[in-house]
Amino acid sequence: MKFCKMCARKFAAELFGTFVLTFFGCSAAVISNGLGLGMLGVAVAFGLSIVAMAYVIGDVSGCHINPAVTLGCFLTKRIDLKQLIGYWIAQFLGGIIAAGLLAFILSNLGILQMQGADFHRIGLGANGYEMLSATRITALGAFVIETLLTAVFVYTVLGVTDYLEYDAVAGIVIGLTLAFVHIVGIPFTGTSVNPARSFGPALVLGGEALKQVWLFIAAPLCGAIIAAVLYRLINGLEDECECGCCDAEEISQEELDEMIEEASAVAEATEE
């Protein structure tokens, strides 16, 4: 399988974009308690990360920076299989590098060194369920909420990037959508909706986080499939109206002028 220079640029953009999203989003999640950022601050960090990347690498790769989004684009025939594989590899590498760098930085925090602890003590923003969830959600519940949130997110991405007139605001819409799905999902699973963002921290942390990461790969991909199906059913098909209720006869300017004159004449006659 050969890749051209343009493909290499796209893969590099996806690696960098996923790195930025994972590093800044997970960093916000890790320090949220200590700095009082809270759930809203973490959601905004993830949202702003994708807004920034959308306007920087959007023209290069489309700024998927999420294997679920890439799958949705593949299923709606926007990219081919070669690009799907290349994007996925780049995205997962970006997530791993981001998690590794975050772990290194946290390991050099003086407050943790004084306590004889390392980054395992405060985590890396990894996702989880049951004992790793703030609400102790079950695996089934986590799977359902991650599938639903991803479906909404990917469907929004597919829809807003389908119209040229939305280009100027597409990044903002996508960023806001990512923020609000995080607001909903953080109490349950920490919100993944992105297998690469989940895999990196889980791989570096190991242990229970790594055992549970399968769900945060499978559920978002299922959500992407649902989003692609919804998009093709609702947005992607141009069906002709069979009952005639959607048909509207075009009125020429002359006919419109005649209608206005007739209405004026009726009004004058009524006044007399």
Side-chain angles (χ1 to χ4, degrees):
M1 186 180 295
K2 295 182 179 180
F3 297 104
C4 64
K5 291 183 178 179
M6 187 60 214
C7 287
R9 287 178 56 202
K10 290 181 178 181
F11 301 154
E14 286 297 306
L15 188 154
F16 177 71
T18 310
F19 166 83
V20 170
L21 176 71
T22 304
F23 181 81
F24 285 93
C26 291
S27 294
V30 169
I31 65 176
S32 60
N33 293 330
L35 296 182
L37 288 178
M39 181 177 65
L40 184 59
V42 176
V44 170
F46 274 103
L48 290 179
S49 296
I50 203 168
V51 169
M53 290 300 98
Y55 291 105
V56 174
I57 65 172
D59 289 339
V60 179
S61 67
C63 190
H64 296 186
I65 59 177
N66 182 338
V69 172
T70 300
L71 179 60
C73 290
F74 173 73
L75 295 176
T76 52
K77 300 181 179 179
R78 300 187 184 188
I79 61 172
D80 58 23
L81 180 60
K82 181 175 72 172
Q83 286 180 306
L84 172 75
I85 296 173
Y87 273 42
W88 275 4
I89 293 172
Q91 290 159 356
F92 278 102
L93 283 176
I96 293 170
I97 295 171
L101 180 59
L102 179 58
F104 172 78
I105 293 173
L106 294 177
S107 296
N108 284 276
L109 291 181
I111 188 171
L112 288 181
Q113 293 177 345
M114 288 187 294
Q115 297 173 358
D118 60 9
F119 62 87
H120 291 87
R121 176 79 170 270
I122 53 178
L124 294 174
N127 303 112
Y129 53 88
E130 294 177 347
M131 294 305 294
L132 297 185
S133 164
T135 54
R136 300 298 188 266
I137 192 171
T138 64
L140 177 60
F143 195 96
V144 171
I145 191 67
E146 284 292 334
T147 300
L148 174 61
L149 294 178
T150 307
V152 171
F153 177 66
V154 175
Y155 179 65
T156 301
V157 174
L158 294 176
V160 77
T161 56
D162 195 32
Y163 303 96
L164 291 176
E165 56 266 35
Y166 295 159
D167 275 358
V169 299
I172 297 173
V173 172
I174 293 170
L176 288 174
T177 305
L178 185 62
F180 85 64
V181 299
H182 270 78
I183 292 173
V184 173
I186 286 175
F188 298 111
T189 62
T191 307
S192 170
V193 303
N194 185 334
R197 164 264 184 273
S198 296
F199 184 75
L203 180 65
V204 175
L205 277 175
E208 194 64 24
L210 186 58
K211 291 179 182 178
Q212 294 187 3
V213 76
W214 68 268
L215 187 147
F216 302 102
I217 296 175
L221 295 181
C222 288
I225 294 172
I226 294 172
V229 172
L230 285 174
Y231 176 78
R232 290 184 63 83
L233 288 176
I234 299 174
N235 303 72
L237 300 177
E238 296 183 0
D239 296 325
E240 295 183 0
C241 180
E242 298 178 356
C243 65
C245 66
C246 299
D247 297 332
E249 296 182 1
E250 293 186 1
I251 300 175
S252 66
Q253 186 62 43
E254 293 181 358
E255 292 175 328
L256 181 60
D257 291 339
E258 290 178 1
M259 292 173 62
I260 294 174
E261 290 178 2
E262 291 176 1
S264 298
V266 171
E268 291 177 359
T270 302
E271 291 177 358
E272 295 176 357

